[in-house]
Amino acid sequence: AQSVSQHNHHVILSEAASLELGCNYSYGGTVNLFWYVQYPGQHLQLLLKYFSGDPLVKGIKGFEAEFIKSKFSFNLRKPSVQWSDTAEYFCAVNKVNNAGNMLTFGGGTRLMVKP
Amino acid sequence: ETGVTQTPRHLVMGMTNKKSLKCEQHLGHNAMYWYKQSAKKPLELMFVYNFKEQTENNSVPSRFSPECPNSSHLFLHLHTLQPEDSALYLCASSLKTSGYNEQFFGPGTRLTVL
């Protein structure tokens, strides 16, 4: 079965530090990849997505992610975090040959940014 | 209201109770989803509806019964639940289920089963 692994369950950073959250998936076929974010008390919302083309994807609020097919990875990065980036981040994978639009989520990473 | 709304936001029920969760989307989408978010576990897909037809049941126990009367509304009927069913239940919608379409999530219903 397809699985999505997020290696860091909790991350604590100071403002202006650089961020990298790991995401690996186990499916060997073509995939669409996503990062969702859930700010405290808010809905889960899409941060960025990869379908095809340039493997370096830029999203909202200065986030970016790089798809490395050979490593089955889609790590999320931000060069300088802010206190407002405190949230839970979820990586998700959609199998392209799947007949439906069904996402498999990773376990999430809770990020706390200290002011 | 815009986006995806869910009611109630919090629900406490006993194991013998019957209750229902409601989801409504105001986005003109045709596909709707129920997810379960438990502590320390990944978000799990439960059900998928496309144009009111159930297209996916991810081996969910029969004590959870979904209903989709139209493309804008989705219900999750609950009966004889167990304490381990306590979780955040999220509803999502997308334009369709074929190919990829971004899923938009509601705020969730926090369910506690006593």
Side-chain angles (χ1 to χ4, degrees):
Chain A
Q2 177 178 277
S3 69
V4 181
S5 299
Q6 292 182 239
H7 319 296
N8 315 100
H9 298 294
H10 293 89
V11 173
I12 302 174
L13 295 173
S14 297
E15 277 195 312
S18 64
L19 170 72
E20 180 160 3
L21 301 182
C23 173
N24 286 88
Y25 62 94
S26 62
Y27 182 64
T30 303
V31 294
N32 299 140
L33 300 158
F34 312 89
W35 277 96
Y36 280 83
V37 60
Q38 190 169 30
Y39 297 103
Q42 294 190 28
H43 303 191
L44 203 63
Q45 58 185 285
L46 186 67
L47 196 57
L48 49 78
K49 59 191 176 189
Y50 171 80
F51 289 167
S52 63
D54 189 345
L56 185 61
V57 178
K58 295 191 183 298
I60 60 172
K61 303 186 180 184
F63 285 91
E64 64 179 32
E66 185 175 12
F67 171 48
I68 303 179
K69 189 174 181 179
S70 60
K71 295 185 178 181
F72 299 91
S73 71
F74 190 55
N75 292 355
L76 180 70
R77 299 194 294 249
K78 185 170 183 178
S80 176
V81 294
Q82 300 173 307
W83 176 79
S84 58
D85 294 323
T86 295
E88 188 160 16
Y89 293 81
F90 296 90
C91 181
V93 176
N94 183 54
K95 290 189 293 184
V96 173
N97 68 351
N98 192 316
N101 178 10
M102 287 172 280
L103 299 179
T104 300
F105 283 84
T109 298
R110 287 188 185 272
L111 171 66
M112 179 184 292
V113 180
K114 298 184 294 184
Chain B
E1 290 241 39
T2 58
V4 181
T5 58
Q6 291 185 243
T7 55
R9 295 293 305 275
H10 300 272
L11 177 62
V12 179
M13 61 187 288
M15 289 190 285
T16 59
N17 292 157
K18 289 185 180 181
K19 297 287 183 183
S20 295
L21 309 185
K22 179 182 176 182
C23 175
E24 184 173 1
Q25 59 93 2
H26 310 268
L27 301 167
H29 289 166
N30 298 302
M32 298 186 77
Y33 311 78
W34 278 117
Y35 288 87
K36 177 182 179 182
Q37 188 175 26
S38 305
K40 300 181 181 179
K41 290 179 68 175
L43 203 62
E44 300 171 79
L45 178 68
M46 300 175 72
F47 301 103
V48 181
Y49 277 83
N50 191 33
F51 291 94
K52 302 187 297 180
E53 298 297 320
Q54 188 181 119
T55 58
E56 182 74 17
N57 177 337
N58 199 20
S59 303
V60 180
S62 60
R63 58 186 183 269
F64 294 91
S65 175
E67 178 191 0
C68 188
N70 55 62
S71 292
S72 298
H73 295 85
L74 184 65
F75 295 91
L76 188 62
H77 303 300
L78 316 171
H79 65 98
T80 60
L81 294 192
Q82 304 298 312
E84 59 263 31
D85 296 322
S86 298
L88 182 68
Y89 289 84
L90 293 172
C91 175
S93 72
S94 67
L95 188 58
K96 55 184 178 179
T97 60
S98 59
Y100 176 74
N101 287 277
E102 178 181 346
Q103 291 186 26
F104 292 80
F105 286 81
T109 295
R110 174 73 61 187
L111 173 68
T112 302
V113 181
L114 302 176

